[in-house]
Amino acid sequence: MDHFARLGMPAALDLEAAELDKAYFARQRQWHPDRFVARPPEEKARASAEAAALNDAYRTLKDPLSRAIYLAGLKGVELPGDGKTIDDPELLMEAMEAREALQEADTIEAVEALAGKARGDMANALSALSGLFSRDDRGALRKALLRLRYLDKFAEEARARRTNLERAKA
């Protein structure tokens, strides 16, 4: 069963966060292991497995990028695993230049400017995904999702860089 079906949601990129929360908490109440404490071991085991699967589904679908990657996977779009080399020279150049700029940023303001640009690029790329999914343009989807994954990682690196600058300043 895929994550969308597990939570009773349509397999779609755009989900209402409140509906997702409502579906998750309703099912989590049904399968919460605490409700099965006095039950036979096989029922306890099933409740634990169902609760873990619900948590995994909810965690995946709650995050827009994770949801997009998961949905693309259901549609047959394959992405390289974490740590694998990206086969898009344009994206590689963009990533190298941005990381170099981040390493050279020596003030919190400079880091914030780079992080803000990445957040803006990410928002634009996320909003363009619906069109790619509706056209079933798998090549463009793959390229957009790889770029989004890079931007997400860059945002994480910018937060770490900012933290290091704040610690050095204190």
Side-chain angles (χ1 to χ4, degrees):
M1 178 183 308
D2 72 55
H3 291 339
F4 292 100
R6 182 169 303 284
L7 288 167
M9 303 296 292
L13 181 63
D14 298 317
L15 295 178
E16 285 292 324
E19 289 298 315
L20 181 63
D21 289 348
K22 186 177 168 184
Y24 168 70
F25 289 115
R27 283 163 176 79
Q28 192 55 270
R29 274 191 300 277
Q30 177 186 354
W31 290 107
H32 197 283
D34 288 350
R35 296 177 55 118
F36 293 81
V37 169
R39 302 279 179 89
E42 57 276 357
E43 286 186 40
K44 288 182 195 175
R46 179 163 185 231
S48 270
E50 291 289 338
L54 283 168
N55 289 338
D56 187 36
Y58 181 67
R59 192 175 23 257
T60 300
L61 300 184
K62 190 164 180 68
D63 177 66
L65 178 55
S66 295
R67 181 173 54 238
I69 290 170
Y70 182 77
L71 183 60
L74 291 178
K75 293 183 176 290
V77 176
E78 293 183 24
L79 298 175
D82 285 337
K84 300 281 184 182
T85 303
I86 299 171
D87 56 359
D88 181 344
E90 188 177 312
L91 178 57
L92 280 174
M93 185 58 71
E94 179 184 352
M96 285 176 23
E97 289 174 0
R99 287 197 172 115
E100 194 175 300
L102 184 59
Q103 286 304 311
E104 291 173 359
D106 57 359
T107 64
I108 292 170
E109 293 77 18
V111 171
E112 271 305 305
L114 292 168
K117 181 186 177 320
R119 283 190 298 270
D121 289 350
M122 198 165 177
N124 290 336
L126 276 171
S127 68
L129 283 178
S130 289
L132 299 176
F133 272 106
S134 65
R135 288 193 307 270
D136 198 28
D137 187 343
R138 293 177 187 183
L141 263 173
R142 183 181 189 278
K143 187 172 183 164
L145 290 171
L146 284 172
R147 184 162 188 264
L148 277 163
R149 210 160 64 182
Y150 146 70
L151 288 167
D152 189 51
K153 188 171 181 166
F154 182 81
E156 186 178 307
E157 291 170 0
R159 279 189 295 276
R161 178 80 173 134
R162 180 189 169 109
T163 299
N164 287 340
L165 288 171
E166 287 171 343
R167 286 183 185 151
K169 195 175 179 182

